[in-house]
Amino acid sequence: MRAQKPVVVVAAVVASLCLGAGVAAAGEGWGPARPGSDGAGDSYYPQDGNGGYDVADYNLKVGYDPASHQLTGVQDISARATQSLSSFDLDLHGLTVDSVKVDGRDAKFSRTGDHELVVTPSRALWRGQNFAVKVAYHGVPAPISDPSLGDNGWQFTPGGATFVAGEPKSATTWYPVNDTPLDKATFHLAITVPDEWGVIANGRERGSVKAAGGTTHVWAEETPIVPYMTTVAIDKWTFDRQKRADGTPIVSAFAPGVPDSAKQAEARLPEILDFLESKFGKYPIDAAGGIFLNAQIGFSLETMSRPIYSGGWAGVVPVIVHENAHQWYGDSVAVAHWRDVCLNECFASYAEWLWDEAKEGVDLNKQYATKVQKASTAFWNGKLYDMGAGHEFTYVYSKGPLMLHALRNYIGQPAFDFVLKTWPSLHRGGNASMQEFQCYTELVAHRSLKGFFDAWVYGTGKPADQYLFPGTLKPAA
């Protein structure tokens, strides 16, 4: 059993005040062993993730040959049954499973759908039981192509390098996983590649050792992490290593051909993290840095402790601000459901506004008024909540920061600052919903915010003037 930190208990109290404390049915999960669900039940991606267990740690040993693209892996999973299980599922896209063991005993396994690995242990698992799973597998990993979101997961660059990035799916393309934001776990990686290739991944470096066929590079992410935020990148990197004033290691990697402007921008990461810490509270991750690709992938991504940057965004400081703001809003505090993604993207986008205000002297009220003046009907009809599968990453970047700036003026600067700084600590290491954020903001502001959230977040159309121009906000002249 994992000990509850005091802040987690406080968060649970706040959540119960907002949503009402849930009461489990008597005896729930204590009956005869039955299969765990083959999905975590998200309304957009109901088959992603699985039910019946909670993962504590992934310990992954991988060998990868860039020339043939062949990957061989052994995944050790430490988990706890949350119901009595006759079988359970893991998520794995493609790749060939060679064997599965549960608690050291051979287990039966089968594949269903496009990513379900169904495991039947030789003995049933009882609710509350800790158990270990070992999966051996191999193959050529391939990205998941989505018509709206592009490629997700294991990807290749024209120069022969490879990297892992994607949202909401990614991890399933290279290891067996419970692929849901609701199941965070620590992540340990030992990956062997030919000597001429370098490796960077999440967390802290644990050293490299000579191995048969190359060098084994070891990384450890001790902050529990959502699966899609795990990454590994293999290239002929130039590394830069710094430390924050508190000793937090900063490791950044630059692919061959990445411009000096990227290195100059990333050199400001200690300053950026200090600034974000002043707004959002203590940095919640145990390492930092960045992975700078020399490839155009259409997005940059907040992979935990070490965001990945597309070649098209190299050297753009606001993008570094955005992705590192996610370490608080999106990584440490993850969404409860994908319909809540504004809790990630609206806040990271507004962090860029806050940076511009503090560092560039931008008048945010004027910027807000100009954007409101230019906004189209389609813009106002863009949704910030429950926008539909495949449409999560649209208006949250543009309408989202407008909403937060209006909220700042609606509840006043002191209340807004308090919410921004305390929300991540209240839910640190957990998940949250938009309704919980609304309720917490109401508690801080000592007033109902139903009208504001209905106008800006849950509804569509241009908000009424009382919500569009609160406080010191005025229409553009």
Side-chain angles (χ1 to χ4, degrees), residues 22 59 137 154 183:
N59 193 333
Y137 62 101
W154 192 282
D183 195 359

Side-chain angles (χ1 to χ4, degrees), residues 368-369 372 406 409 462 464-476:
Y368 173 93
V372 166
N409 281 269
K462 191 173 184 178
D465 281 356
Q466 69 186 103
Y467 306 120
L468 192 61
F469 298 112
T472 60
L473 293 178
K474 295 178 175 58

Side-chain angles (χ1 to χ4, degrees), residues 157-159 235 237 254-259 291-296 309-312:
T157 73
D235 207 331
W237 304 107
F254 304 89
V258 168
I291 303 171
F292 290 79
L293 305 174
N294 189 15
Q296 303 283 349
Y309 300 98
S310 168

Side-chain angles (χ1 to χ4, degrees), residues 225-244:
I225 183 172
V226 170
Y228 80 83
M229 297 172 191
T230 61
T231 190
V232 66
I234 302 163
D235 207 331
K236 296 173 182 179
W237 304 107
T238 297
F239 287 93
D240 179 75
R241 292 174 173 86
Q242 308 179 64
K243 283 188 177 181
R244 296 191 69 207

Side-chain angles (χ1 to χ4, degrees), residues 114-129:
D114 68 350
H115 66 264
E116 299 291 344
L117 170 60
V118 184
V119 178
T120 304
S122 60
R123 300 178 182 178
L125 303 171
W126 304 110
R127 179 177 174 176
Q129 177 181 339

Side-chain angles (χ1 to χ4, degrees), residues 312-476:
W313 294 106
V316 181
V317 168
V319 178
I320 298 175
V321 172
H322 180 108
E323 301 306 337
N324 281 281
H326 275 308
Q327 305 306 306
W328 286 263
Y329 284 89
D331 289 22
S332 177
V333 184
V335 293
H337 303 279
W338 283 106
R339 62 176 177 257
D340 298 307
V341 75
C342 181
L343 292 176
N344 297 6
E345 300 300 345
C346 295
F347 289 83
S349 298
Y350 193 63
E352 298 179 51
W353 283 42
L354 294 173
W355 174 269
D356 287 344
E357 180 182 44
K359 302 293 185 175
E360 307 296 335
V362 173
D363 185 330
L364 294 188
N365 284 0
K366 288 184 178 179
Q367 178 172 292
Y368 173 93
T370 299
K371 289 183 179 295
V372 166
Q373 184 182 50
K374 294 179 178 179
S376 65
T377 299
F379 177 91
W380 293 118
N381 286 333
K383 300 191 73 175
L384 297 181
Y385 174 77
D386 203 9
M387 58 288 288
H391 301 288
E392 302 97 310
F393 306 105
T394 51
Y395 292 98
V396 287
Y397 302 102
S398 54
K399 187 178 175 182
L402 286 181
M403 178 272 291
L404 287 173
H405 195 64
L407 179 63
R408 172 178 169 177
N409 281 269
Y410 192 73
I411 66 174
Q413 188 77 45
F416 185 78
D417 289 346
F418 187 84
V419 168
L420 277 192
K421 183 169 282 191
T422 56
W423 171 261
S425 62
L426 283 174
H427 292 274
R428 183 173 178 173
N431 304 77
S433 69
M434 182 59 74
Q435 288 78 15
E436 288 174 294
F437 177 76
Q438 176 188 339
C439 181
Y440 180 63
T441 306
E442 290 176 334
L443 290 174
V444 172
H446 302 293
R447 60 190 291 197
S448 171
L449 299 176
K450 182 180 184 303
F452 182 93
F453 275 79
D454 284 349
W456 271 103
V457 179
Y458 305 127
T460 57
K462 191 173 184 178
D465 281 356
Q466 69 186 103
Y467 306 120
L468 192 61
F469 298 112
T472 60
L473 293 178
K474 295 178 175 58

